Amino acid sequence: MQASHQPKGPARLRRCARAAHRSRPALLLCVLLLHALPSTAQLTLAHCQERARANQPMIAQYDLIAKTADYTIANANKAYLPQVSLTGIGAYIISGLPTMTLPGSAPPANDDLKFIGMGQVNQQLWDGGATSANKRMIAAGAAVDSTKLEVRFHQLRERVDQLFFGILLADAQLAQLDRFDSTLQRNLDKVSLLKENGTAYQSDVDEVHAELLKLHQRKIEFAYVRSGYVDMLSYLIGEPLDSTTVLQRPAVREDFASAPDQRPELGTFTAQRELATAQYQLGKTSLMPKVGLLGTGLLFAPALGFGTSEISSLALAGISLSWNTSGLYRQANDHKLHELHLARIANEESSFRFANGLDLRRDDQEVRKARAILAADEGIVALRTRIADAYQLKYDNGLCAMNDLIDAMSEVDEARSDKALHEIQLLLAMQHYATDNGN
């Protein structure tokens, strides 16, 4: 019985195109079949960096920092709500309260057991800018915490880069080993046939076979290295990866050094300056007077006697003004301390920029070196290939031994492996520059 087979992708698409002219349902079927075709999506470095960031537990700290700042600012806004205080005193009056009597009248009776109730309401009208300054300080503190968290995520990017390019390097070496494997296998088949015909020795077959075994050992080594890197990258990004995962090699960029410096540490220094200024402004509010509305009520039981009258309650209301001048004595020193604080931050930023500039110079030299080395690889591979072809011709004509041919082929394999290594090193050097530059 003839076996049926599934039509290939292009044939399926052509059939769908013809059917689409006949009916709209057929057009829908074409869309479904097009999505059913196999996909060859590749894993990119940018995707790995984004997923590693989203997969980190510390990503939740951004929300925690924001919510903490919101609640703290909400508490600061409550400073303008009316402040109510109530006090009750029950006491025995030892020396007695003063009384007032009219001439010729008897003094009123007075009870030494008294209850005095006091209530006070304060409504702040202006606190000298303290609430506003406090809110700015809270927001600046949250910004500092956020930028410090961004620095930790930047360090995570470096780990992702190392794993990603480690996998790319393993892939490049395995691809070259597969190519060399095919070459050796062809020679093994050829020399085995020559041996069967009596024109080659068993030692020639053994030498090629031994070289194949050594090559398989190298493939096993790189396969395990790749598997370890893939497992760690999978854990970092929170996605299942395996030996079939294909990574997309980044493109070589000529303008890799043109992007501006965007290191997150620079944002930290800016946030620290804003926090220091906010703290200084909050301290200056102590020099300002505080204005508010004041209401006070007093309750006496029993009432106080004043001649023929008694006072059982008293209420007062008015505008309150308070001004603490103790901050005036510290104003000059506080200003100098603020300037010193800003100077320390500026010095830390300058030191970071100096060290980062040194790293970028090193990265630039690494890129230049990788380019120069890679430029010579094409010539080396071409020469080694030509030499190996010559040794192949010599061996076919009985003019050299098998080990000479294997040495020549090994030199080609080494040259191609070096070229693959240098290509990844160039990409990694460019990525190091981008990472050190904050891009």
Side-chain angles (χ1 to χ4, degrees), residues 75-100:
N75 286 336
N77 286 329
K78 290 178 171 57
Y80 278 95
L81 294 178
Q83 307 296 316
V84 180
S85 65
L86 298 173
T87 304
I89 301 175
Y92 179 81
I93 301 175
I94 299 176
S95 60
L97 291 172
T99 59
M100 297 179 60

Side-chain angles (χ1 to χ4, degrees), residues 9-320:
R12 295 166 67 187
L13 291 178
R14 285 195 296 270
R15 292 185 183 183
C16 287
R18 289 194 296 267
H21 289 286
R22 294 193 294 268
S23 65
R24 295 177 66 89
L27 180 60
L28 178 60
L29 179 61
C30 286
V31 176
L32 295 176
L33 288 176
L34 180 61
H35 284 284
L37 292 177
S39 174
T40 57
Q42 296 180 335
L43 195 64
T44 64
L45 178 60
H47 175 78
C48 290
Q49 290 174 343
E50 292 173 0
R51 287 300 307 151
R53 179 187 179 96
N55 189 49
Q56 284 293 307
M58 63 180 174
I59 192 69
Q61 291 190 28
Y62 280 113
D63 187 52
L64 296 176
I65 291 171
K67 287 183 177 179
T68 300
D70 290 342
Y71 285 125
T72 309
I73 290 176
N75 286 336
N77 286 329
K78 290 178 171 57
Y80 278 95
L81 294 178
Q83 307 296 316
V84 180
S85 65
L86 298 173
T87 304
I89 301 175
Y92 179 81
I93 301 175
I94 299 176
S95 60
L97 291 172
T99 59
M100 297 179 60
T101 58
L102 294 176
S105 61
N110 203 354
D111 193 348
D112 289 336
L113 292 175
K114 294 288 184 182
F115 172 79
I116 303 175
M118 293 180 291
Q120 182 173 313
V121 178
N122 290 297
Q123 173 61 60
Q124 190 161 251
L125 298 179
W126 187 57
D127 62 357
T131 299
S132 178
N134 190 31
K135 288 158 60 175
R136 286 197 301 269
M137 187 186 70
I138 294 168
V144 170
D145 292 338
S146 296
T147 55
K148 288 182 178 180
L149 188 60
E150 196 64 33
V151 172
R152 296 177 61 186
F153 278 119
H154 185 77
Q155 296 170 351
L156 176 65
R157 287 184 55 188
E158 297 177 353
R159 297 183 62 186
V160 174
D161 291 346
Q162 293 170 358
L163 294 174
F164 190 90
F165 283 96
I167 297 172
L168 284 180
L169 178 58
D171 286 340
Q173 296 297 323
L174 286 170
Q176 174 53 35
L177 290 175
D178 286 339
R179 183 174 181 176
F180 189 33
D181 192 343
S182 299
T183 302
L184 285 176
Q185 191 62 52
R186 287 196 301 270
N187 277 273
L188 180 61
D189 296 339
K190 181 186 296 185
V191 74
S192 297
L193 182 60
L194 292 175
K195 191 260 180 185
E196 291 177 2
N197 295 331
T199 57
Y201 298 102
Q202 180 63 39
S203 60
D204 293 340
V205 178
D206 293 341
E207 286 190 25
V208 179
H209 195 262
E211 192 66 24
L212 272 172
L213 291 177
K214 287 172 57 180
L215 184 143
H216 291 163
Q217 282 184 328
R218 293 171 60 191
K219 290 175 68 174
I220 291 173
E221 180 181 359
F222 278 110
Y224 271 97
V225 170
R226 186 190 194 278
S227 177
Y229 285 165
V230 167
D231 183 64
M232 288 186 285
L233 183 61
S234 174
Y235 183 78
L236 271 182
I237 69 176
E239 291 183 0
L241 305 176
D242 53 30
S243 59
T244 63
T245 302
V246 180
L247 272 60
Q248 179 178 326
R249 180 180 294 192
V252 176
R253 304 188 310 273
E254 298 297 332
D255 59 342
F256 71 96
S258 60
D261 195 348
Q262 297 181 1
R263 284 292 292 262
E265 290 86 349
L266 300 179
T268 301
F269 296 130
T270 300
Q272 287 176 342
R273 276 191 289 269
E274 293 176 355
L275 177 59
T277 301
Q279 290 172 335
Y280 175 64
Q281 293 296 333
L282 179 61
K284 288 180 64 176
T285 61
S286 64
L287 304 176
M288 307 302 294
K290 310 296 187 292
V291 180
L293 295 177
L294 173 64
T296 301
L298 297 175
L299 175 66
F300 304 97
L304 297 177
F306 290 87
T308 59
S309 302
E310 292 183 344
I311 297 178
S312 60
S313 62
L314 178 65
L316 299 172
I319 296 178
S320 64

